Amino acid sequence: MGAKNVCLMTDKNLSQLPPVQMVMDSLVKNGINFKVYDNVRVEPTDRSFMEAIEFVKKGAFDAYVAVGGGSTMDTCKAANLYASSPHSDFLDYVNAPIGKGKPVSVPLKPLIAVPTTSGTGSETTGVAIFDYEHLKVKTGIASRAIKPTLGLIDPLHTLHMPDRVVANSGFDVLCHALESYTALPYHMRSPCPSNPITRPAYQGSNPISDIWAVHALRIVAKYLKRAVRNPDDLEARSNMHLASAFAGIGFGNAGVHLCHGMSYPISGLVKTYKAKDYNVDHPLVPHGLSVVLTSPAVFTFTAQMSPERHLETAEILGAHTRTARIADAGPILADTLRKFLYDLDVDDGLAAIGYSKADIPALVKGTLPQERVTKLAPRPQSEEDLSALFEASMKLY
């Protein structure tokens, strides 16, 4: 790439761990100048994005290396974008209706993504997600232009994840695969954009994404429990790391729908819950956990639109579906997911992470702006539907 001045981006926790050390050793050995930015926030906010953007604008970098989970990779994508478009206002590229959702027409610098979790698949996608603090809701930037140039998927980088981080990031892979496989089919998405540059990054389920999603789901079914239970199981951790990238290639083109749309207020409105195994100084519902807690309710709701696909995914996850009635696809997949989550010691629904019935209106209000993903659900949903889905997710078992 001929880079002379590189920004290495990571978070405070990872900056002390071997993956970052390996990257620094490699840069030093090859005589490449670099500066480290290790102030990435786990579950980034607009403010934490802007701090990173300020840093990179001053640095005049000609390439970026992001070493970390989705938070680091997403922060780095945003920093690269706004440093390459220095006169843009922050909201210019943020998804509508919160931002202006302008298409990106400037060239960006090369970005090498080195994932250390097996979850977001952010090394493969043109999406960067953050909490917009003013509205207490997650939103993001979505454009093919911010996709990393290169992803380095090395399973040895995942051996430092504690078991809850493995579980929660694995749930993100699970939902990426399930949601992209059951998303609105690409030929049913409307209206058709007048110009190709305004085509969304998320196209709806399509025959190519389907292959990646189903393959990722098979790996999750086989290896996630092993990866959580035994940190030294290199085969399981390696396969989950690949599944994360596979699901990323799938949903990065097809998109996700309701589990993700509803997850953004669940993490954005967090009160005091602090997830086990996360080394942070603020309340935190990890993204993968916020996504998976609504999955039994969501897939019960969407099953009537493509019951065969819902049954097929239930079977991959271990359900016996040979004698199942097609009308029972939703409940069968929901029960299969509940058992899967129960086996992995997941909190018993939204109530267990601090929410109650009284919070449902705020959770619904936080889901409504997520049109980029909610419109990809195979079944349209009213505010009453969303309320019922949150209510059904208060308790899982």
Side-chain angles (χ1 to χ4, degrees):
M1 291 173 178
K4 304 271 186 290
N5 182 25
V6 172
C7 173
L8 168 55
M9 202 167 275
T10 190
D11 66 37
K12 287 276 190 279
N13 196 39
L14 271 158
S15 64
Q16 310 302 314
L17 292 171
V20 170
Q21 199 52 55
M22 268 169 85
V23 171
M24 292 201 290
D25 291 348
S26 172
L27 290 167
V28 169
K29 192 173 101 192
N30 290 283
I32 293 176
N33 253 331
F34 67 94
K35 280 201 178 75
V36 176
Y37 181 81
D38 65 1
N39 217 11
V40 168
R41 187 180 195 269
V42 176
E43 302 298 341
T45 60
D46 47 335
R47 192 178 328 157
S48 80
F49 266 21
M50 286 189 227
E51 284 167 8
I53 292 163
E54 279 312 301
F55 177 86
V56 301
K57 278 184 173 172
K58 291 188 188 118
F61 299 109
D62 54 12
Y64 296 84
V65 182
V67 185
S71 299
T72 295
M73 291 185 276
D74 286 7
T75 303
C76 199
K77 290 175 189 175
N80 186 7
L81 171 61
Y82 288 96
S84 305
S85 184
H87 302 301
S88 294
D89 185 51
F90 181 69
L91 286 176
D92 281 357
Y93 295 121
V94 172
N95 298 324
I98 288 168
K100 295 184 186 150
K102 285 187 178 171
V104 177
S105 52
V106 294
L108 273 63
K109 300 286 189 262
L111 190 166
I112 299 173
V114 185
T116 58
T117 62
S118 305
T120 62
S122 184
E123 68 279 6
T124 69
T125 72
V127 176
I129 299 290
F130 64 92
D131 274 297
Y132 189 52
E133 289 181 302
H134 168 63
L135 293 178
K136 285 202 161 135
V137 72
K138 266 189 162 39
T139 182
I141 299 160
S143 165
R144 281 174 196 74
I146 66 173
K147 260 186 198 183
T149 317
L150 184 66
L152 292 179
I153 299 166
D154 180 347
L156 297 178
H157 288 333
T158 69
L159 299 179
H160 310 283
M161 280 192 288
D163 71 65
R164 280 300 93 189
V165 181
V166 178
N168 291 328
S169 51
F171 296 145
D172 202 20
V173 182
L174 171 68
C175 288
H176 285 158
L178 285 172
E179 288 173 71
S180 60
Y181 193 53
T182 56
L184 188 73
Y186 72 102
H187 49 78
M188 291 173 68
R189 193 171 46 77
S190 65
C192 176
S194 54
N195 181 323
I197 197 164
T198 58
R199 279 178 70 193
Y202 288 173
Q203 293 293 313
S205 63
N206 60 79
I208 295 169
S209 290
D210 288 351
I211 293 168
W212 293 101
V214 170
H215 191 55
L217 194 62
R218 289 189 196 285
I219 300 175
V220 170
K222 184 171 176 184
Y223 288 110
L224 178 57
K225 288 179 188 174
R226 275 175 53 182
V228 172
R229 286 171 185 157
N230 180 4
D232 301 322
D233 188 337
L234 187 61
E235 184 194 357
R237 293 232 170 164
S238 299
N239 275 285
M240 280 305 301
H241 210 36
L242 265 183
S244 174
F246 290 169
I249 296 167
F251 92 84
N253 296 292
V256 284
H257 57 82
L258 283 175
C259 299
H260 271 74
M262 293 168 66
S263 81
Y264 296 141
I266 293 170
S267 34
L269 294 165
V270 59
K271 301 170 189 179
T272 56
Y273 182 81
K274 264 199 188 150
K276 185 174 160 284
D277 287 346
Y278 286 77
N279 190 1
V280 291
D281 58 2
H282 51 90
L284 172 74
V285 182
H287 171 66
L289 180 62
S290 69
V291 167
V292 86
L293 288 175
T294 60
S295 65
V298 162
F299 293 112
T300 304
F301 175 78
T302 57
Q304 66 187 60
M305 306 312 285
S306 53
E308 298 82 6
R309 287 195 170 208
H310 286 68
L311 267 185
E312 184 189 344
T313 54
E315 188 173 1
I316 292 170
L317 291 171
H320 297 293
T321 59
R322 207 173 289 146
T323 55
R325 295 190 4 246
I326 216 83
D328 296 333
I332 290 170
L333 177 53
D335 285 343
T336 308
L337 286 166
R338 282 191 196 95
K339 183 179 181 318
F340 198 79
L341 300 183
Y342 184 79
D343 287 349
L344 282 168
D345 302 320
V346 174
D347 301 84
D348 188 4
L350 298 179
I353 62 170
Y355 289 107
S356 69
K357 250 180 162 166
D359 298 306
I360 291 176
L363 290 165
V364 171
K365 189 174 166 220
T367 306
L368 295 176
Q370 311 299 336
E371 290 174 0
R372 181 179 65 94
V373 293
T374 54
K375 277 193 160 48
L376 281 171
R379 183 179 167 191
Q381 59 301 146
S382 63
E383 290 187 36
E384 290 72 26
D385 291 332
L386 290 172
S387 295
L389 290 172
F390 279 116
E391 189 161 347
S393 305
M394 284 293 165
K395 191 165 168 46
L396 289 181
Y397 312 126

